[in-house]
Structure formats: C-alpha cells, structure tokens
Amino acid sequence: MLRFATTTLAMIQDIERILFHEQTILRRLDELGAQITRDYEGKELTIIAVLNGSIFFMADLLRRIQLPLRLDCLSVSSYHGGTASTGVVTFEQNSLPEVDGRHVLLLDDILDTGHTLHAICRRLHQEANPASVRVCVLLRKDKVRAKNLEADYVGFDIGDEFVVGYGLDYLEKYRNLPFVGVLHPAVIKA
Ligand code: IMP
Ligand code: MG
C-alpha cells in the first residue's frame, strides 16, 4: 500500500487519469534495455539525454543496458512556460558532446511536435560527425508532427494529451510523481 504525504496528495489531485504506474514503466524499460543491448553489441555507444525531462527515464533505462557506454546530457528547451512547443529550440550550452565516429542514442521523455529532437539531430550531424544517431523516447504522442522526425525506440504511445510525472513537468512541477498521468485541464493556465 503506497502512502503519500499531504503535499504529494495535492499534486495527485491535479491528475485526471493515471496512464502508466511505475511498475508498468519499469517492465517496459526491461524490454527496451534488452533490445538496445542487442542492437548496439560491439559498438561504441554514447547516450545523450535531453534534460530535464528525461532524467528518471535515463536513470532507469541505463541500468538496463548491459554495454559499456558513455553518457552525456544536453539542456534544451522549446516550451518557455506553457503546454505547447514554441518551435524555437534553445540550447543552454553552446558546445556539443564529443561523438566523432561514435553511435549516438538520444534519449528524451516525449516526442511531441518533434522540434526538439529534430534540432538536436541536425546539429549533431552538421557539427559532430557521429557514426549514427538514433532516437529513444519514453512516450510518443499520436499527432501529425511539425518536423519529419521518427523515434527508433518508443516506450509507450499515448494520445495527444498533456501529461506529467516521472520526469515530465508543467511549469517545472510534478516531475517527481512516480507515475505518468494526464494533467487535469482545469489546472492548465489559459
Ligand atoms: P517537441 O519539441 O514538441 O517534440 O517537445 C519536446 C519537449 O516538450 C519534451 O522534451 C518535453 O519536455 C515537452 N513536452 C511535450 N509534450 C509534453 C507533455 O505532454 N508534458 C510535459 N512536457 C511535454
Ligand atoms: Mg518540459
């Protein structure tokens, strides 16, 4: 029986529907980790995690990939506050990870419009000379994407709804909920 403090309960009340409990997520990560381990066996793998949203996903998935690998993080934002991508992708640091000749697996929490991952892939190819770049997301929204970008590894497909928890935020809140849930529309500021 899970027990939550009053402050956590207040956050949970903002959730309309739970989509994936922690155990469901971890079981799916067992499968993804095994698949990535098979696919990259014998290759020079660098994981690049997109912060902050992918932080829980990264920690849980990486412990399930049984290969020597390098880990780098990139801070990128495209939201600037609301629940819709502005389409303007800002890199918080100017330099890219050193991935010359290496196989790159990009990790992000969610594939929505595709702007963020498209911008990162483009910069990597233009400036960093990787051997390959693939994309792995925990969640993929069912929608027509602004950018022609597809994920190679997907945890779960979801509808076009705004979700929080397990790393995903709304105005920097809810990241530490242990599940992924749909945020109640009434909570979202007009
Ligand atoms: P994209 O560039 O539109 O694909 O959006 C990517 C980023 O937007 C993700 O890395 C998330 O940080 C954020 N995002 C997109 N959809 C959601 C959502 O439903 N909840 C929380 N963050 C989201
Ligand atoms: Mg975010």
Side-chain angles (χ1 to χ4, degrees), residues 50-54 76-79 82-87 89 108-118 139 141 143 145 149 158-165 167-170 175 181:
V50 184
L51 298 180
N52 293 331
S54 70
V76 173
S77 60
S78 64
Y79 261 49
T83 59
S85 169
T86 58
V89 180
D108 204 357
D109 51 1
I110 191 162
L111 177 58
D112 184 20
T113 64
H115 281 298
T116 306
L117 289 164
H118 183 266
L139 305 169
K141 278 193 197 176
K143 70 195 292 180
R145 271 171 255 295
L149 183 125
I158 62 169
D160 190 8
E161 298 180 290
F162 197 79
V163 295
V164 293
L168 292 125
D169 73 305
Y170 173 58
R175 287 197 201 276

